[in-house]
Amino acid sequence: MALRILAITPQPSLISLPWHVPLDEWDDRVTVSLPRGLSRHIVRFVRLNRDVYAVKETREAIAWREYRLLRDLRRIRAPAVEPVGVVTGREARGGEELEACLVTKRLSASMPYREMFSRGVRPDTMPRLVDALAVLLTKLHLSGFFWGDCSLSNTLFRRSAGEFAAYLVDAETGELHHDLSDGQRTYDLDTAKGNLFGELLDLQAGGFLDDGVDAHRLVNGVCERYETLWGELTVAEDFTTDEMWRIEQRISRLNGLGFDVDELDIVTDWDGASVRIQPKVVDAGHHRRVLQGLTGLDVEENQARRLLNDLNSFTATLGLQQGDPAQVAHRWLTEIFEPVVAMAPPERQTPLEAAEVFHELLEHRWYLSERASQEMDLFETARDYFAHQPTAQETATVAAVEALPDSVGDPGHLVADAAETDALGR
Ligand SMILES: Nc1ncnc2c1ncn2[C@@H]1O[C@H](COP(=O)(O)OP(=O)(O)OP(=O)(O)O)[C@@H](O)[C@H]1O
Ligand SMILES: [Mg+2]
């Protein structure tokens, strides 16, 4: 049988991987040791040139299905891992057939939740993780995606200005529809509740989660958050024609939540005395797009919101409100953002880490200013912060692996292991 690799962007070094060997026998000359979540299938990470990929061994039909769904999710810009390709026709040297593989791009700077807990997390982290999960489910439902297996294990988390941004990692059970019925949404939410409850009890049994954490309350909190957000994003609003400002207000409320409005359906009644508006919200990432348009920085939504706030205060402090926003943004980028981030340890200067560092500095400045009863300078703050803060272990390991140089003179993959990488990166 011929080995077949179908990939989105041809990645020649994919061919050099040992496809004739079962995935669980790939050794550390090929794989990169990075944290993985729980799974039924075998998953391994490999580095090809600059990027790290996740390879999952699974049945061929499932690999194709998941690949197509991930492509669809990409097309509608939903937060999910990026598909790369499917490898079929694998055969061991002895001639026996091996399962197909789905290859996805490893979501950089992401952590599975179990890994975070095994490193110890602050008590207030759990509500923020489940909150991110509720936001993810809402975004997917808005795009017409039925997940079928929403859980913490099937999600990856990235830090985002002190909060978390959640990404779908396992699309195996998903279905993409034009719109979801209330029944489909409820079913998905019920599955999420069941999975989440089990995962929380499991964390508690393993001693990773404080016994005082009320799993029931957390799970119900997810549903409430989901319902509130869903209502805010989709509900029709009625008002009289002398309250037309409510149209603007609704749009800015939606933008404030990080969503852009795709269409606004405005209907007035027969005598023109009242108006009904029904927004169609599809695109999450409002602040992210605004920041990217102004500065070229591509960061997480909450990070973007934070950076834009700082850009606004910079504009106001220097009285530049009448200036060209792109020029002001460029000044802020080159006079504030970049020089401050350049003071951070090198492994924290990647684009996503830089935004998180900037957020931490703004928090630290707030704390120092409170203590000194006066506004502290951001550069002073940075000096103080980096002198006293040990680099977070989690950030260091993940960032160091991601910052590894290209492989040289190797058939395309690199021998790397977290411990080795750590030494290289620091
Ligand atoms: N592209 C990726 N980026 C980062 N991590 C990934 C990626 N793909 C897979 N993983 C890691 O591998 C784990 C298992 O992946 P996945 O959930 O797809 O496997 P599975 O066997 O289908 O799971 P299940 O047991 O739910 O069926 C994930 O939790 C995640 O930690
Ligand atoms: Mg899974």
Side-chain angles (χ1 to χ4, degrees), residues 98-126:
L98 297 175
E99 274 194 324
C101 285
L102 169 73
V103 184
T104 53
K105 213 165 178 183
R106 178 178 176 273
L107 184 70
S108 59
S110 68
M111 292 290 274
Y113 79 103
R114 272 209 155 251
E115 182 64 22
M116 291 189 209
F117 280 88
S118 64
R119 288 162 191 265
V121 297
R122 296 205 312 262
D124 60 344
T125 298
M126 198 67 219

PDB file of all heavy atoms in Angstrom, residues 98-126:
ATOM      1  N   LEU A  98      -0.934   0.059   9.591  1.00  0.00           N
ATOM      2  CA  LEU A  98      -0.963   0.932  10.770  1.00  0.00           C
ATOM      3  C   LEU A  98      -2.078   1.950  10.592  1.00  0.00           C
ATOM      4  O   LEU A  98      -2.438   2.294   9.463  1.00  0.00           O
ATOM      5  CB  LEU A  98       0.386   1.659  10.920  1.00  0.00           C
ATOM      6  CG  LEU A  98       1.606   0.775  11.168  1.00  0.00           C
ATOM      7  CD1 LEU A  98       2.889   1.621  11.176  1.00  0.00           C
ATOM      8  CD2 LEU A  98       1.476   0.030  12.495  1.00  0.00           C
ATOM      9  N   GLU A  99      -2.578   2.454  11.717  1.00  0.00           N
ATOM     10  CA  GLU A  99      -3.691   3.407  11.647  1.00  0.00           C
ATOM     11  C   GLU A  99      -3.271   4.720  10.991  1.00  0.00           C
ATOM     12  O   GLU A  99      -2.090   5.079  10.991  1.00  0.00           O
ATOM     13  CB  GLU A  99      -4.197   3.695  13.057  1.00  0.00           C
ATOM     14  CG  GLU A  99      -5.216   2.684  13.523  1.00  0.00           C
ATOM     15  CD  GLU A  99      -5.962   3.141  14.762  1.00  0.00           C
ATOM     16  OE1 GLU A  99      -5.354   3.805  15.635  1.00  0.00           O
ATOM     17  OE2 GLU A  99      -7.148   2.825  14.854  1.00  0.00           O
ATOM     18  N   ALA A 100      -4.275   5.432  10.493  1.00  0.00           N
ATOM     19  CA  ALA A 100      -4.009   6.736   9.863  1.00  0.00           C
ATOM     20  C   ALA A 100      -3.614   7.759  10.936  1.00  0.00           C
ATOM     21  O   ALA A 100      -3.788   7.509  12.128  1.00  0.00           O
ATOM     22  CB  ALA A 100      -5.264   7.208   9.153  1.00  0.00           C
ATOM     23  N   CYS A 101      -3.081   8.871  10.502  1.00  0.00           N
ATOM     24  CA  CYS A 101      -2.723   9.937  11.452  1.00  0.00           C
ATOM     25  C   CYS A 101      -3.321  11.269  11.004  1.00  0.00           C
ATOM     26  O   CYS A 101      -3.332  11.581   9.811  1.00  0.00           O
ATOM     27  CB  CYS A 101      -1.208  10.108  11.533  1.00  0.00           C
ATOM     28  SG  CYS A 101      -0.415   8.814  12.471  1.00  0.00           S
ATOM     29  N   LEU A 102      -3.780  12.015  11.986  1.00  0.00           N
ATOM     30  CA  LEU A 102      -4.220  13.385  11.743  1.00  0.00           C
ATOM     31  C   LEU A 102      -3.103  14.295  12.251  1.00  0.00           C
ATOM     32  O   LEU A 102      -2.625  14.119  13.375  1.00  0.00           O
ATOM     33  CB  LEU A 102      -5.502  13.673  12.531  1.00  0.00           C
ATOM     34  CG  LEU A 102      -5.931  15.133  12.570  1.00  0.00           C
ATOM     35  CD1 LEU A 102      -6.493  15.558  11.216  1.00  0.00           C
ATOM     36  CD2 LEU A 102      -6.975  15.371  13.655  1.00  0.00           C
ATOM     37  N   VAL A 103      -2.676  15.218  11.418  1.00  0.00           N
ATOM     38  CA  VAL A 103      -1.620  16.142  11.843  1.00  0.00           C
ATOM     39  C   VAL A 103      -2.225  17.536  11.992  1.00  0.00           C
ATOM     40  O   VAL A 103      -2.932  18.015  11.098  1.00  0.00           O
ATOM     41  CB  VAL A 103      -0.480  16.197  10.805  1.00  0.00           C
ATOM     42  CG1 VAL A 103       0.662  17.081  11.309  1.00  0.00           C
ATOM     43  CG2 VAL A 103       0.041  14.793  10.499  1.00  0.00           C
ATOM     44  N   THR A 104      -1.991  18.147  13.146  1.00  0.00           N
ATOM     45  CA  THR A 104      -2.441  19.536  13.359  1.00  0.00           C
ATOM     46  C   THR A 104      -1.244  20.348  13.831  1.00  0.00           C
ATOM     47  O   THR A 104      -0.267  19.789  14.308  1.00  0.00           O
ATOM     48  CB  THR A 104      -3.546  19.618  14.443  1.00  0.00           C
ATOM     49  OG1 THR A 104      -3.085  18.955  15.628  1.00  0.00           O
ATOM     50  CG2 THR A 104      -4.833  19.011  13.984  1.00  0.00           C
ATOM     51  N   LYS A 105      -1.354  21.641  13.675  1.00  0.00           N
ATOM     52  CA  LYS A 105      -0.291  22.505  14.161  1.00  0.00           C
ATOM     53  C   LYS A 105      -0.450  22.628  15.674  1.00  0.00           C
ATOM     54  O   LYS A 105      -1.573  22.820  16.151  1.00  0.00           O
ATOM     55  CB  LYS A 105      -0.457  23.890  13.532  1.00  0.00           C
ATOM     56  CG  LYS A 105       0.822  24.562  13.295  1.00  0.00           C
ATOM     57  CD  LYS A 105       0.624  25.721  12.370  1.00  0.00           C
ATOM     58  CE  LYS A 105       1.942  26.408  12.209  1.00  0.00           C
ATOM     59  NZ  LYS A 105       1.868  27.578  11.395  1.00  0.00           N
ATOM     60  N   ARG A 106       0.601  22.480  16.399  1.00  0.00           N
ATOM     61  CA  ARG A 106       0.467  22.629  17.847  1.00  0.00           C
ATOM     62  C   ARG A 106       0.096  24.073  18.173  1.00  0.00           C
ATOM     63  O   ARG A 106       0.711  24.998  17.643  1.00  0.00           O
ATOM     64  CB  ARG A 106       1.773  22.268  18.558  1.00  0.00           C
ATOM     65  CG  ARG A 106       1.642  22.479  20.023  1.00  0.00           C
ATOM     66  CD  ARG A 106       2.853  22.105  20.807  1.00  0.00           C
ATOM     67  NE  ARG A 106       2.582  22.459  22.186  1.00  0.00           N
ATOM     68  CZ  ARG A 106       2.820  23.660  22.695  1.00  0.00           C
ATOM     69  NH1 ARG A 106       3.359  24.591  21.970  1.00  0.00           N
ATOM     70  NH2 ARG A 106       2.499  23.924  23.933  1.00  0.00           N
ATOM     71  N   LEU A 107      -0.921  24.243  18.996  1.00  0.00           N
ATOM     72  CA  LEU A 107      -1.335  25.599  19.369  1.00  0.00           C
ATOM     73  C   LEU A 107      -0.265  26.180  20.286  1.00  0.00           C
ATOM     74  O   LEU A 107      -0.076  25.713  21.411  1.00  0.00           O
ATOM     75  CB  LEU A 107      -2.687  25.552  20.075  1.00  0.00           C
ATOM     76  CG  LEU A 107      -3.270  26.903  20.429  1.00  0.00           C
ATOM     77  CD1 LEU A 107      -3.723  27.649  19.184  1.00  0.00           C
ATOM     78  CD2 LEU A 107      -4.423  26.761  21.393  1.00  0.00           C
ATOM     79  N   SER A 108       0.446  27.196  19.788  1.00  0.00           N
ATOM     80  CA  SER A 108       1.583  27.700  20.558  1.00  0.00           C
ATOM     81  C   SER A 108       1.124  28.358  21.854  1.00  0.00           C
ATOM     82  O   SER A 108       0.000  28.862  21.952  1.00  0.00           O
ATOM     83  CB  SER A 108       2.376  28.692  19.717  1.00  0.00           C
ATOM     84  OG  SER A 108       1.533  29.734  19.353  1.00  0.00           O
ATOM     85  N   ALA A 109       2.001  28.317  22.832  1.00  0.00           N
ATOM     86  CA  ALA A 109       1.762  28.920  24.148  1.00  0.00           C
ATOM     87  C   ALA A 109       0.494  28.400  24.826  1.00  0.00           C
ATOM     88  O   ALA A 109      -0.112  29.095  25.627  1.00  0.00           O
ATOM     89  CB  ALA A 109       1.708  30.447  24.041  1.00  0.00           C
ATOM     90  N   SER A 110       0.082  27.180  24.477  1.00  0.00           N
ATOM     91  CA  SER A 110      -1.138  26.657  25.085  1.00  0.00           C
ATOM     92  C   SER A 110      -0.808  25.576  26.102  1.00  0.00           C
ATOM     93  O   SER A 110       0.251  24.970  26.050  1.00  0.00           O
ATOM     94  CB  SER A 110      -2.040  26.067  24.009  1.00  0.00           C
ATOM     95  OG  SER A 110      -1.443  24.916  23.464  1.00  0.00           O
ATOM     96  N   MET A 111      -1.732  25.384  27.007  1.00  0.00           N
ATOM     97  CA  MET A 111      -1.557  24.360  28.035  1.00  0.00           C
ATOM     98  C   MET A 111      -2.847  23.562  28.177  1.00  0.00           C
ATOM     99  O   MET A 111      -3.929  24.142  28.196  1.00  0.00           O
ATOM    100  CB  MET A 111      -1.299  25.029  29.390  1.00  0.00           C
ATOM    101  CG  MET A 111      -0.002  25.738  29.486  1.00  0.00           C
ATOM    102  SD  MET A 111       1.383  24.605  29.521  1.00  0.00           S
ATOM    103  CE  MET A 111       1.468  24.257  31.254  1.00  0.00           C
ATOM    104  N   PRO A 112      -2.737  22.218  28.313  1.00  0.00           N
ATOM    105  CA  PRO A 112      -3.927  21.461  28.693  1.00  0.00           C
ATOM    106  C   PRO A 112      -4.198  21.727  30.183  1.00  0.00           C
ATOM    107  O   PRO A 112      -3.261  21.985  30.942  1.00  0.00           O
ATOM    108  CB  PRO A 112      -3.519  20.008  28.463  1.00  0.00           C
ATOM    109  CG  PRO A 112      -2.091  19.991  28.101  1.00  0.00           C
ATOM    110  CD  PRO A 112      -1.556  21.382  28.100  1.00  0.00           C
ATOM    111  N   TYR A 113      -5.451  21.671  30.591  1.00  0.00           N
ATOM    112  CA  TYR A 113      -5.783  22.084  31.958  1.00  0.00           C
ATOM    113  C   TYR A 113      -5.114  21.207  33.005  1.00  0.00           C
ATOM    114  O   TYR A 113      -4.704  21.674  34.058  1.00  0.00           O
ATOM    115  CB  TYR A 113      -7.303  22.106  32.161  1.00  0.00           C
ATOM    116  CG  TYR A 113      -7.913  20.756  32.401  1.00  0.00           C
ATOM    117  CD1 TYR A 113      -8.294  20.350  33.677  1.00  0.00           C
ATOM    118  CD2 TYR A 113      -8.083  19.861  31.362  1.00  0.00           C
ATOM    119  CE1 TYR A 113      -8.838  19.113  33.902  1.00  0.00           C
ATOM    120  CE2 TYR A 113      -8.620  18.622  31.574  1.00  0.00           C
ATOM    121  CZ  TYR A 113      -8.999  18.241  32.855  1.00  0.00           C
ATOM    122  OH  TYR A 113      -9.526  17.003  33.069  1.00  0.00           O
ATOM    123  N   ARG A 114      -4.969  19.902  32.728  1.00  0.00           N
ATOM    124  CA  ARG A 114      -4.383  18.991  33.733  1.00  0.00           C
ATOM    125  C   ARG A 114      -2.946  19.380  34.059  1.00  0.00           C
ATOM    126  O   ARG A 114      -2.498  19.261  35.190  1.00  0.00           O
ATOM    127  CB  ARG A 114      -4.392  17.566  33.211  1.00  0.00           C
ATOM    128  CG  ARG A 114      -5.667  16.877  33.534  1.00  0.00           C
ATOM    129  CD  ARG A 114      -5.499  15.395  33.700  1.00  0.00           C
ATOM    130  NE  ARG A 114      -6.544  14.892  34.548  1.00  0.00           N
ATOM    131  CZ  ARG A 114      -6.366  14.454  35.781  1.00  0.00           C
ATOM    132  NH1 ARG A 114      -5.179  14.436  36.310  1.00  0.00           N
ATOM    133  NH2 ARG A 114      -7.385  14.004  36.492  1.00  0.00           N
ATOM    134  N   GLU A 115      -2.267  19.805  33.025  1.00  0.00           N
ATOM    135  CA  GLU A 115      -0.881  20.201  33.202  1.00  0.00           C
ATOM    136  C   GLU A 115      -0.801  21.414  34.137  1.00  0.00           C
ATOM    137  O   GLU A 115       0.034  21.483  35.016  1.00  0.00           O
ATOM    138  CB  GLU A 115      -0.293  20.542  31.821  1.00  0.00           C
ATOM    139  CG  GLU A 115       1.151  20.928  31.826  1.00  0.00           C
ATOM    140  CD  GLU A 115       2.081  19.812  32.275  1.00  0.00           C
ATOM    141  OE1 GLU A 115       1.671  18.624  32.186  1.00  0.00           O
ATOM    142  OE2 GLU A 115       3.191  20.124  32.720  1.00  0.00           O
ATOM    143  N   MET A 116      -1.719  22.361  33.926  1.00  0.00           N
ATOM    144  CA  MET A 116      -1.709  23.537  34.800  1.00  0.00           C
ATOM    145  C   MET A 116      -1.927  23.115  36.243  1.00  0.00           C
ATOM    146  O   MET A 116      -1.269  23.600  37.146  1.00  0.00           O
ATOM    147  CB  MET A 116      -2.863  24.472  34.429  1.00  0.00           C
ATOM    148  CG  MET A 116      -2.703  25.139  33.126  1.00  0.00           C
ATOM    149  SD  MET A 116      -4.007  26.369  33.050  1.00  0.00           S
ATOM    150  CE  MET A 116      -4.230  26.423  31.320  1.00  0.00           C
ATOM    151  N   PHE A 117      -2.879  22.176  36.438  1.00  0.00           N
ATOM    152  CA  PHE A 117      -3.183  21.788  37.812  1.00  0.00           C
ATOM    153  C   PHE A 117      -2.050  21.007  38.443  1.00  0.00           C
ATOM    154  O   PHE A 117      -1.788  21.133  39.632  1.00  0.00           O
ATOM    155  CB  PHE A 117      -4.502  21.008  37.868  1.00  0.00           C
ATOM    156  CG  PHE A 117      -5.661  21.941  37.829  1.00  0.00           C
ATOM    157  CD1 PHE A 117      -6.198  22.349  36.617  1.00  0.00           C
ATOM    158  CD2 PHE A 117      -6.172  22.472  39.000  1.00  0.00           C
ATOM    159  CE1 PHE A 117      -7.230  23.265  36.571  1.00  0.00           C
ATOM    160  CE2 PHE A 117      -7.203  23.387  38.963  1.00  0.00           C
ATOM    161  CZ  PHE A 117      -7.733  23.778  37.747  1.00  0.00           C
ATOM    162  N   SER A 118      -1.354  20.215  37.628  1.00  0.00           N
ATOM    163  CA  SER A 118      -0.279  19.427  38.217  1.00  0.00           C
ATOM    164  C   SER A 118       0.883  20.342  38.631  1.00  0.00           C
ATOM    165  O   SER A 118       1.713  19.966  39.429  1.00  0.00           O
ATOM    166  CB  SER A 118       0.188  18.346  37.258  1.00  0.00           C
ATOM    167  OG  SER A 118       0.747  18.956  36.132  1.00  0.00           O
ATOM    168  N   ARG A 119       0.924  21.550  38.077  1.00  0.00           N
ATOM    169  CA  ARG A 119       1.968  22.496  38.481  1.00  0.00           C
ATOM    170  C   ARG A 119       1.485  23.378  39.627  1.00  0.00           C
ATOM    171  O   ARG A 119       2.209  24.228  40.095  1.00  0.00           O
ATOM    172  CB  ARG A 119       2.346  23.404  37.300  1.00  0.00           C
ATOM    173  CG  ARG A 119       3.125  22.685  36.238  1.00  0.00           C
ATOM    174  CD  ARG A 119       3.086  23.467  34.947  1.00  0.00           C
ATOM    175  NE  ARG A 119       3.602  22.668  33.855  1.00  0.00           N
ATOM    176  CZ  ARG A 119       4.860  22.720  33.442  1.00  0.00           C
ATOM    177  NH1 ARG A 119       5.692  23.539  33.996  1.00  0.00           N
ATOM    178  NH2 ARG A 119       5.264  21.959  32.460  1.00  0.00           N
ATOM    179  N   GLY A 120       0.217  23.216  40.007  1.00  0.00           N
ATOM    180  CA  GLY A 120      -0.321  24.017  41.096  1.00  0.00           C
ATOM    181  C   GLY A 120      -0.910  25.302  40.548  1.00  0.00           C
ATOM    182  O   GLY A 120      -0.218  26.049  39.868  1.00  0.00           O
ATOM    183  N   VAL A 121      -2.191  25.522  40.803  1.00  0.00           N
ATOM    184  CA  VAL A 121      -2.811  26.761  40.319  1.00  0.00           C
ATOM    185  C   VAL A 121      -3.455  27.505  41.473  1.00  0.00           C
ATOM    186  O   VAL A 121      -3.774  26.920  42.498  1.00  0.00           O
ATOM    187  CB  VAL A 121      -3.887  26.480  39.232  1.00  0.00           C
ATOM    188  CG1 VAL A 121      -3.290  25.848  38.018  1.00  0.00           C
ATOM    189  CG2 VAL A 121      -5.002  25.641  39.796  1.00  0.00           C
ATOM    190  N   ARG A 122      -3.618  28.784  41.288  1.00  0.00           N
ATOM    191  CA  ARG A 122      -4.250  29.589  42.334  1.00  0.00           C
ATOM    192  C   ARG A 122      -5.737  29.232  42.409  1.00  0.00           C
ATOM    193  O   ARG A 122      -6.326  28.824  41.410  1.00  0.00           O
ATOM    194  CB  ARG A 122      -4.102  31.073  41.992  1.00  0.00           C
ATOM    195  CG  ARG A 122      -2.663  31.550  41.984  1.00  0.00           C
ATOM    196  CD  ARG A 122      -2.631  33.052  42.270  1.00  0.00           C
ATOM    197  NE  ARG A 122      -3.589  33.783  41.462  1.00  0.00           N
ATOM    198  CZ  ARG A 122      -3.269  34.417  40.330  1.00  0.00           C
ATOM    199  NH1 ARG A 122      -2.027  34.407  39.906  1.00  0.00           N
ATOM    200  NH2 ARG A 122      -4.177  35.074  39.661  1.00  0.00           N
ATOM    201  N   PRO A 123      -6.355  29.391  43.591  1.00  0.00           N
ATOM    202  CA  PRO A 123      -7.759  28.982  43.737  1.00  0.00           C
ATOM    203  C   PRO A 123      -8.697  29.696  42.766  1.00  0.00           C
ATOM    204  O   PRO A 123      -9.724  29.156  42.374  1.00  0.00           O
ATOM    205  CB  PRO A 123      -8.109  29.357  45.184  1.00  0.00           C
ATOM    206  CG  PRO A 123      -6.820  29.645  45.866  1.00  0.00           C
ATOM    207  CD  PRO A 123      -5.768  29.897  44.843  1.00  0.00           C
ATOM    208  N   ASP A 124      -8.342  30.919  42.358  1.00  0.00           N
ATOM    209  CA  ASP A 124      -9.273  31.636  41.483  1.00  0.00           C
ATOM    210  C   ASP A 124      -9.090  31.256  40.007  1.00  0.00           C
ATOM    211  O   ASP A 124      -9.759  31.797  39.134  1.00  0.00           O
ATOM    212  CB  ASP A 124      -9.122  33.148  41.660  1.00  0.00           C
ATOM    213  CG  ASP A 124      -7.709  33.625  41.319  1.00  0.00           C
ATOM    214  OD1 ASP A 124      -6.806  32.760  41.250  1.00  0.00           O
ATOM    215  OD2 ASP A 124      -7.506  34.835  41.123  1.00  0.00           O
ATOM    216  N   THR A 125      -8.199  30.314  39.720  1.00  0.00           N
ATOM    217  CA  THR A 125      -7.982  29.955  38.311  1.00  0.00           C
ATOM    218  C   THR A 125      -9.136  29.138  37.734  1.00  0.00           C
ATOM    219  O   THR A 125      -9.528  29.333  36.585  1.00  0.00           O
ATOM    220  CB  THR A 125      -6.659  29.169  38.168  1.00  0.00           C
ATOM    221  OG1 THR A 125      -5.612  30.035  38.579  1.00  0.00           O
ATOM    222  CG2 THR A 125      -6.410  28.734  36.752  1.00  0.00           C
ATOM    223  N   MET A 126      -9.655  28.219  38.548  1.00  0.00           N
ATOM    224  CA  MET A 126     -10.699  27.320  38.021  1.00  0.00           C
ATOM    225  C   MET A 126     -11.901  28.089  37.456  1.00  0.00           C
ATOM    226  O   MET A 126     -12.308  27.836  36.323  1.00  0.00           O
ATOM    227  CB  MET A 126     -11.148  26.364  39.140  1.00  0.00           C
ATOM    228  CG  MET A 126     -11.867  25.164  38.626  1.00  0.00           C
ATOM    229  SD  MET A 126     -10.729  24.136  37.675  1.00  0.00           S
ATOM    230  CE  MET A 126     -11.786  23.618  36.369  1.00  0.00           C
TER     231      MET A 126
END
